[in-house]
């Protein structure tokens, strides 16, 4: 009996040890997910950047006034880790033609772009970001469309742009319909919510209705959109069946669209967003063994790179049901991810939480009407959602109301930070989703089902080792590069590098290269455009070296500038004439260009009116030359085994690294030759020719390079006239300001109060006051006021 008891105790001990071991395995995988997520987000912290603009519609001669708000998404506070903020104006042909670098001051900065009289009528984009934000891709940088109208009716035009616009104008309605199963996949024999979205060729939502059929032609279901082409239905995919949809649009457009193919086994993640809680239902058709650990899943919910929910659950009869109290989550988009017991992600779902925890702005009562040049006083007080006083950093714009609805999507600091900044693609009328009614809640949940989210991917996060980000957090202005032996890509160790500021500073900095020939300079207080001279000598004091500046790789931009007002203007019977370009006068003292060719396939020129931007010749080639990625030309490889073009500078063969030493301001023109055009240069030009011609007409100097970079922008002060006496009000003529008042630096006092005072212009009509801001805790404020101005 005693022996049997001992054996029984040993068996129980072994079973408990085995169970404990299995439990530890599952704890390991959850810990693994959490550890890697923390490491990933610490290396690439999530930031959000918003711009408050004084208005959306500008005329040549105006100034674009703006303020930046930088938010640390995880900490929900004004961001202080990045020092440099980049703001760009992008032309309708997707080229950057104006840019500035701002110095972030505790999460805030402001700037201004003057619009010259030569800027042409069109839809432009203003884009803003930090270097770190580029790690998540161009879709998650702040961007907003603005309209610029040239007072002399000059329309934005180039041959390719005009050709594309003409094609779009003649194109009949096209509808793209996509289906999005809840959780990510259609799974055989599991009913799920199947969301859908229909957009036209302009990216706008189109209301549709239609039917879903099996491959054999049997009608399975019907559907109808609820808001801006979006809707959802209940749908179950049967085994080995295929489906397609047919839609009927208001214009009579009909087309077939395939539904996503179902997978045989998987997990369906269903979430119902109710008033105070989230109801979670998880289903699977997996066949499990008797091992209870195989039935476990992990569910994680994160917002802004911060995990707010992490739990393990176990399937019973292939289903899991539970609830989560919404009070534990912040406002904004929650990203749920479901992992199996071995930390493999299987399903994802977005949920929007709106706790309405915004700042409140109370103002004194404005008059409903004013006269031109009247004085307007506005006092306001800021409190948080609990009613407590909030010291806040605000910006105020007073502007004439615009009827230009094609670009107005009513973006503000609240709907951008909480909604748009975490979603890929355009969100139509984002302010609609913050109104308070049941239809809005339903439409918002459908938006969560249909809008893409890919700020990071779990495949990168769950690697055994997480790689360092491509774009680092910038604490100051950096200038990095390499020194190599001339004509040989051999690092020059211990070479001296001297940096001279050739403009107002006249400072000189010096450093030495490391074993890899690398050098770097850091400086933090220089403003405006900086004219830089770099001089390098080898350790034996020879200038027979080459200076290679690190390429500040630019993210491409894609946006849709072909809105109705441009297309209509372009194709009116009395369309705006395009002025012929004047022939450039030939300078007899200028050296002749060293050309073997006559007619290049493409010519790129830089004019004196171009704004100096922190960009390289290689970046310009990337954005302007189709098929060029910065080092190679798209096409078949040559006998040398690569597809690099032949590079020439003033007729001298060189390589891509040498081009990085050139400043755009020194380049006169660039000829691009492809195919037969390049054959005159022989077999070296099998992959095309990039021929660069400098203004000086001579090759770069050894051990020396001169170029320009951006320093921190020095913002101008908005002109706010003060009509102190009646005589001044009567005598000063032609006050035609459409932006009546702009103030980007309003700091409320310890009582949460602030005051502004301004005089109106001579323009009458309907006006609006836009107040936006944020406190140090990341709580946001947005308020609009309206009034009318009558002519005296």
């Amino acid at each position: 009996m005693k022996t049997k008891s001992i054996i029984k105790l040993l068996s129980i001990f072994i079973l408990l040890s085995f169970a404990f071991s299995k439990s530890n395995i599952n704890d390991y995988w959850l810990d693994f997910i959490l550890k890697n997520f923390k490491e990933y987000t610490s290396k690439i912290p999530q930031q959000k950047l918003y711009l408050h603009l004084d208005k959306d519609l500008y005329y040549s001669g105006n100034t674009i006034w703006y303020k930046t708000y930088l938010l640390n998404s995880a900490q929900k506070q004004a961001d202080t880790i990045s020092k440099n903020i980049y703001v760009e104006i992008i032309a309708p042909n997707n080229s950057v033609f104006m840019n500035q670098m701002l110095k972030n001051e505790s999460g805030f900065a402001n700037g201004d772009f003057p619009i010259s009289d030569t800027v042409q009528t069109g839809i432009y984009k203003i884009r803003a970001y930090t270097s770190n934000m580029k790690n998540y891709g161009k879709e998650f940088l702040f961007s907003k469309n603005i309209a610029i109208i040239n007072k002399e009716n000059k329309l934005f035009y180039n041959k390719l742009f005009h050709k594309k616009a003409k094609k779009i104008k003649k194109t009949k309605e096209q509808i793209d319909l996509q289906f999005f199963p809840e959780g990510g996949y259609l799974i055989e024999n599991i009913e799920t919510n199947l969301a859908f979205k229909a957009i036209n060729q302009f990216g706008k939502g189109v209301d549709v209705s239609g039917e879903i059929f099996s491959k054999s032609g049997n009608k399975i279901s019907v559907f109808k959109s609820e808001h801006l082409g979006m809707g959802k239905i209940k749908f179950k995919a049967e085994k080995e069946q295929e489906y397609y949809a047919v839609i009927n649009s208001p214009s009579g457009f009909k087309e077939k669209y395939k539904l996503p193919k179902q997978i045989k086994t998987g997990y369906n993640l269903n979430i119902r967003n109710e008033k105070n809680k989230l109801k979670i239902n998880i289903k699977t058709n997996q066949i499990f063994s008797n091992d209870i650990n195989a039935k476990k899943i992990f569910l994680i919910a994160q917002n802004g790179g911060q995990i707010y929910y992490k739990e393990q659950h176990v399937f019973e009869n292939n289903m899991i049901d539970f609830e989560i109290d919404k009070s534990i989550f912040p406002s904004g988009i929650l990203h749920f991810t479901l992992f199996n017991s071995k930390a493999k992600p299987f399903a994802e779902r977005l949920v929007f939480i709106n706790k309405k925890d915004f700042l409140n702005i109370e103002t004194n009562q404005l008059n409903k009407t004013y006269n031109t040049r009247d004085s307007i006083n506005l006092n306001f007080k800021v409190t948080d959602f609990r009613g407590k006083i909030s010291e806040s950093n605000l910006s105020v714009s007073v502007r004439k109301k615009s009827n230009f609805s094609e670009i107005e999507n009513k973006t503000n600091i609240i709907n951008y930070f909480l909604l748009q900044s975490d979603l890929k693609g355009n969100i139509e009328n984002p302010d609609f989703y913050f109104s308070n009614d049941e239809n809005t809640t339903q439409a918002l949940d459908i938006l969560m089902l249909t809008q893409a989210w890919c700020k990071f991917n779990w495949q990168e996060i769950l690697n055994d080792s997480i790689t360092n980000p491509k774009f680092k957090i910038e604490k100051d202005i950096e200038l990095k590069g390499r020194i190599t032996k001339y004509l040989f890509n051999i690092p020059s160790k211990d070479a001296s590098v001297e940096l001279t500021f050739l403009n107002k500073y006249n400072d000189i900095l010096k450093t030495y290269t490391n074993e890899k020939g690398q050098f770097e300079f850091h400086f933090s207080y220089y403003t405006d455009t900086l004219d830089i001279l770099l001089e390098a000598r080898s350790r034996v004091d020879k200038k027979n070296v080459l200076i290679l500046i690190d390429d500040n790789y630019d993210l491409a931009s894609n946006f849709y500038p072909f809105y109705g007002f441009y297309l209509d203007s372009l194709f009116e019977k009395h369309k705006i004439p395009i002025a012929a370009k004047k022939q450039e006068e030939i300078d007899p003292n200028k050296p002749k260009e060293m050309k073997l060719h006559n007619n290049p396939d493409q010519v790129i020129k830089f004019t004196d009116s171009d704004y100096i931007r922190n960009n390289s010749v290689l970046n310009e080639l990337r954005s302007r030359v189709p098929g060029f990625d910065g080092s190679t030309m798209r096409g078949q490889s040559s006998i040398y085994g690569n597809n690099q073009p032949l590079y020439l500078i003033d007729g001298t063969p060189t390589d891509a690294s040498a081009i990085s030493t050139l400043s755009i301001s020194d380049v006169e023109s660039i000829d691009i030759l492809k195919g037969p055009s390049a054959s005159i240069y022989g077999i070296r030009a099998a992959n095309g020719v990039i021929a660069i011609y400098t203004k000086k007409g001579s090759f770069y100097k050894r051990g020396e390079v001169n170029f320009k970079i951006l320093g921190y922008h020095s913002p101008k002060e908005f002109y706010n006239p003060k009509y102190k006496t009646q005589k001044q009000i009567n005598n000063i003529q032609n006050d035609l300001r459409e932006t009546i008042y702009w103030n980007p630096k309003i700091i409320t006092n310890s009582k949460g109060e602030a005051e502004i005072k301004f005089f109106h212009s001579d323009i009458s009509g309907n006006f609006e006051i836009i107040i936006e801001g944020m406190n140090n805790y990341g709580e946001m404020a947005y308020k609009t006021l309206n009034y009318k101005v009558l002519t005296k």
Side-chain angles (χ1 to χ4, degrees):
M1 288 293 292
K2 191 173 182 180
T3 304
K4 289 183 179 179
S5 298
I6 292 171
I7 293 172
K8 187 175 181 181
L9 287 171
L10 284 172
S11 300
I12 293 171
F13 177 77
I14 292 169
L15 287 171
L16 288 173
S17 299
F18 181 76
F20 179 76
S21 174
K22 287 287 187 178
S23 176
N24 280 347
I25 289 172
N26 280 273
D27 290 343
Y28 165 80
W29 284 116
L30 180 57
D31 290 342
F32 175 77
I33 295 169
L34 300 177
K35 179 182 73 67
N36 279 34
F37 184 85
K38 184 178 180 179
E39 182 182 350
Y40 185 89
T41 53
S42 65
K43 285 187 175 182
I44 313 178
Q46 287 194 34
Q47 298 171 308
K48 298 179 180 182
L49 183 61
Y50 173 75
L51 261 62
H52 178 189
L53 303 179
D54 66 309
K55 54 185 179 180
D56 302 320
L57 174 63
Y58 299 89
Y59 292 90
S60 54
N62 288 172
T63 297
I64 300 171
W65 303 94
Y66 66 89
K67 179 175 180 178
T68 68
Y69 292 88
L70 185 60
L71 182 70
N72 184 302
S73 299
Q75 297 176 2
K76 304 292 184 291
Q77 294 179 353
D79 185 274
T80 58
I81 62 173
S82 286
K83 186 59 65 175
N84 301 345
I85 295 174
Y86 300 93
V87 185
E88 304 168 335
I89 305 293
I90 300 173
N93 64 348
N94 276 309
S95 65
V96 177
F97 81 104
M98 287 194 286
N99 71 342
Q100 294 171 349
M101 180 172 65
L102 276 60
K103 191 173 186 178
N104 176 33
E105 301 286 355
S106 301
F108 311 96
N110 65 283
D112 49 88
F113 285 106
I115 304 174
S116 70
D117 292 336
T118 60
V119 175
Q120 298 162 316
T121 297
I123 298 292
Y124 292 72
K125 175 186 283 188
I126 186 166
R127 183 170 72 175
Y129 53 90
T130 66
S131 176
N132 170 66
M133 289 173 65
K134 294 164 74 173
N135 290 301
Y136 290 108
K138 62 188 176 185
E139 295 86 0
F140 295 102
L141 311 181
F142 174 87
S143 65
K144 178 180 174 65
N145 289 353
I146 59 174
I148 298 178
I149 297 177
N150 188 289
K151 295 177 180 178
E152 297 181 5
N153 292 329
K154 292 180 180 178
L155 196 67
F156 188 92
Y157 178 87
N158 65 35
K159 189 174 182 180
L160 293 175
F161 190 81
H162 176 85
K163 186 177 180 181
K164 187 172 182 178
K166 188 174 181 180
K167 183 178 179 180
I168 291 169
K169 183 70 175 178
K170 293 181 178 179
T171 301
K172 294 181 179 179
E173 184 182 38
Q174 297 176 357
I175 294 178
D176 178 38
L177 176 66
Q178 294 186 52
F179 289 88
F180 305 89
E182 185 174 20
Y185 300 96
L186 282 177
I187 305 167
E188 283 185 359
N189 296 318
I190 293 182
E191 187 178 63
T192 187
N193 286 315
L194 182 62
F196 59 89
K197 183 175 183 178
I199 59 173
N200 62 18
Q201 67 267 40
F202 304 110
K204 300 292 185 181
V206 180
D207 285 324
V208 294
S209 62
E211 298 88 28
I212 295 175
F213 297 89
S214 65
K215 188 177 181 180
S216 58
N218 295 325
K219 183 176 176 180
I220 305 298
S221 182
V222 297
F223 61 91
K224 184 178 182 180
S225 59
E226 299 177 31
H227 177 68
L228 295 174
M230 294 178 286
K232 67 177 180 180
I233 58 171
K234 292 288 186 181
F235 189 81
K236 182 190 285 188
E238 296 182 0
K239 185 178 180 180
E240 297 180 356
Q241 184 62 268
E242 294 181 15
Y243 303 92
Y244 67 89
V246 177
I247 64 170
N248 299 299
S249 72
S251 62
F253 181 89
K254 288 190 176 183
E255 187 62 76
K256 284 185 179 181
Y257 299 89
K258 287 185 177 181
L259 268 65
K261 288 186 177 181
Q262 65 267 36
I263 59 176
K264 289 187 177 182
T265 59
Y267 299 86
N268 178 251
L269 174 60
N270 170 256
I271 300 179
R272 285 168 52 195
N273 190 352
E274 299 190 347
K275 186 175 181 180
N276 297 316
K277 56 192 175 184
L278 299 176
K279 287 193 172 183
I280 315 293
N281 176 261
I282 304 170
K283 296 177 183 177
T284 184
N285 58 1
Q286 295 271 12
I287 298 175
F288 297 110
S289 64
N290 292 327
D291 180 7
I292 191 173
N293 288 290
K295 297 181 180 182
K296 292 179 180 178
I297 57 97
F298 308 119
L299 188 64
I300 289 175
Q302 67 87 19
N303 170 286
Q306 182 73 30
I307 291 177
Y308 291 90
Y309 180 86
K310 53 183 189 300
E311 290 294 338
Q312 175 182 278
H313 298 272
V314 181
F315 279 106
E316 292 183 10
N317 299 322
N318 286 39
M319 185 179 294
I320 298 171
D321 264 310
F322 60 97
E323 297 177 353
I324 305 175
D325 191 328
K326 288 168 62 173
S327 63
I328 67 173
F329 301 120
S331 290
I333 294 177
L334 273 178
H335 184 214
F336 280 90
T337 307
L338 184 151
F339 302 84
N340 71 357
S341 58
K342 295 182 179 179
K344 183 178 179 181
F346 267 89
E348 293 185 305
R349 174 69 151 92
L350 302 185
V351 176
F352 190 81
I353 305 293
N354 187 357
K355 302 173 80 169
K356 302 176 185 176
D357 46 355
F358 314 127
L359 297 177
N360 179 51
I361 301 176
E362 299 176 7
T363 62
N364 58 300
Q365 186 65 41
L366 279 176
N367 295 337
K368 291 183 179 179
T369 60
Y370 291 90
N371 291 319
T372 55
R373 300 203 182 185
D374 271 357
S375 174
I376 299 177
N377 284 51
L378 186 65
N379 298 287
F380 45 86
K381 181 178 180 179
V382 182
T383 55
D384 65 16
F385 65 99
R386 295 173 291 265
K388 294 183 179 179
I389 290 168
S390 175
E391 297 182 33
S392 304
N393 194 316
L394 309 172
S395 49
V396 176
S397 171
V398 183
R399 63 197 188 188
K400 186 173 183 181
K401 274 194 169 184
S402 169
N403 294 321
F404 201 77
S405 59
E406 290 181 346
I407 58 167
E408 284 189 351
N409 62 0
K410 296 183 179 178
T411 297
N412 60 56
I413 191 170
I414 291 175
N415 64 45
Y416 182 79
F417 273 151
L418 295 187
L419 184 65
Q420 298 182 79
S421 58
D422 280 330
L423 295 178
K424 188 177 179 181
N426 180 52
I427 310 298
E428 290 184 69
N429 193 13
D431 213 34
F432 164 80
Y433 298 105
F434 289 82
S435 56
N436 297 318
D437 60 55
E438 293 181 4
N439 294 332
T440 299
T441 303
Q442 172 76 354
L444 183 54
D445 196 56
I446 294 173
L447 180 71
M448 295 296 99
L449 291 168
T450 59
Q451 206 73 25
W453 193 100
C454 56
K455 214 165 197 178
F456 59 75
N457 67 70
W458 285 104
Q459 186 175 354
E460 291 181 6
I461 295 173
L462 299 179
N463 284 334
D464 291 333
S465 61
I466 296 173
T467 58
N468 291 321
K470 182 176 182 179
F471 303 101
K472 296 182 179 180
I473 294 170
E474 295 178 332
K475 299 292 186 180
D476 50 24
I477 303 174
E478 295 181 349
L479 180 60
K480 297 181 179 181
R482 291 189 302 127
I483 307 297
T484 66
K485 294 183 179 180
Y486 191 74
L487 296 181
F488 299 96
N489 191 23
I490 300 174
S492 183
K493 178 185 175 183
D494 296 328
S496 65
V497 188
E498 191 171 88
L499 183 155
T500 304
F501 294 94
L502 298 179
N503 45 7
K504 59 185 179 182
Y505 298 104
N506 294 319
D507 292 344
I508 297 176
L509 307 176
K510 191 172 183 178
T511 190
Y512 293 88
T513 59
N514 61 19
E515 292 184 353
K516 296 180 180 180
Q518 299 168 328
F519 68 90
E520 58 183 73
F521 292 96
H522 295 262
F523 33 93
S524 60
Y525 58 88
Y526 295 98
T527 59
D528 304 321
T529 301
L530 304 175
D531 196 355
I532 301 291
L533 173 64
L534 279 183
E535 296 175 282
R537 290 180 180 272
S538 68
R539 59 182 168 182
V540 293
D541 203 32
K542 298 275 188 174
K543 291 192 74 174
N544 193 26
V545 293
L546 187 64
I547 304 174
L548 305 174
I549 308 300
D550 282 2
D551 186 17
N552 183 19
Y553 184 75
D554 180 44
L555 290 179
S557 170
N558 294 303
F559 81 108
Y560 195 88
F562 301 103
Y563 287 84
F565 102 103
Y566 175 83
L567 296 174
D568 293 341
S569 300
L570 190 62
F571 294 100
E572 286 175 352
K573 290 182 180 179
H574 304 289
K575 68 180 181 181
I576 300 165
I578 305 300
K581 290 187 177 180
K582 293 182 180 180
Q583 289 281 63
E584 296 181 5
E585 295 183 6
I586 299 174
D587 184 356
N589 299 316
K590 185 176 179 179
K592 292 183 179 180
E593 295 175 345
M594 300 296 294
K595 290 186 179 182
L596 294 177
H597 59 273
N598 291 320
N599 298 312
D601 296 290
Q602 183 181 354
V603 177
I604 299 171
K605 290 202 171 187
F606 307 103
T607 64
D608 292 337
S609 62
D610 288 336
Y611 281 74
I612 300 299
R613 50 188 178 267
N614 187 20
N615 214 349
S616 69
V617 172
L618 285 177
N619 274 341
E620 288 298 319
L621 291 171
R622 282 191 192 102
S623 64
R624 300 195 189 195
V625 180
F628 182 71
D629 65 3
S631 60
T632 60
M633 200 82 78
R634 188 166 56 237
Q636 294 183 345
S637 298
S638 69
I639 60 172
Y640 296 109
N642 61 54
N643 52 1
Q644 292 185 359
L646 170 65
Y647 296 97
L648 302 170
I649 300 180
D650 293 326
T652 303
T654 183
D655 59 18
S657 62
I659 292 175
S660 68
T661 67
L662 287 175
S663 169
I664 290 174
S665 59
D666 292 331
V667 175
E668 178 69 28
S669 65
I670 304 176
D671 287 357
I672 309 298
L673 294 89
K674 300 178 182 179
S677 304
S679 60
I680 195 169
Y681 288 93
I683 197 169
R684 296 175 303 169
N687 296 307
V689 176
I690 294 179
I692 299 175
Y693 300 96
T694 65
K695 293 177 181 178
K696 295 179 181 179
S698 59
F699 199 42
Y700 48 80
K701 295 180 181 179
R702 299 182 183 188
E704 183 178 317
V705 61
N706 178 221
F707 54 95
K708 291 180 173 62
I709 65 172
L710 284 177
Y712 291 122
H713 174 63
S714 299
K716 295 187 301 183
E717 186 174 346
F718 182 83
Y719 173 64
N720 184 26
K722 295 178 173 61
Y723 301 126
K724 294 181 179 179
T725 66
Q726 189 63 41
K727 185 177 180 181
Q728 285 180 310
I729 293 175
N730 294 334
N731 288 345
I732 298 176
Q733 301 297 317
N734 299 324
D735 184 354
L736 302 179
R737 290 171 294 133
E738 288 197 340
T739 297
I740 307 302
Y741 180 80
W742 167 253
N743 190 336
K745 292 183 177 181
I746 298 177
I747 312 296
T748 59
N749 60 24
S750 59
K751 296 181 180 180
E753 297 172 342
E755 179 184 14
I756 61 172
K757 179 179 179 180
F758 57 91
F759 288 88
H760 218 278
S761 67
D762 294 336
I763 297 176
S764 59
N766 295 313
F767 290 79
E768 59 185 349
I769 301 174
I770 308 294
I771 307 170
E772 299 193 82
M774 184 171 72
N775 63 17
N776 289 330
Y777 304 106
E779 295 169 338
M780 296 155 282
Y782 172 73
K783 189 178 184 68
T784 61
L785 301 166
N786 298 284
Y787 65 92
K788 189 174 184 178
V789 174
L790 306 174
T791 304
K792 285 185 179 179

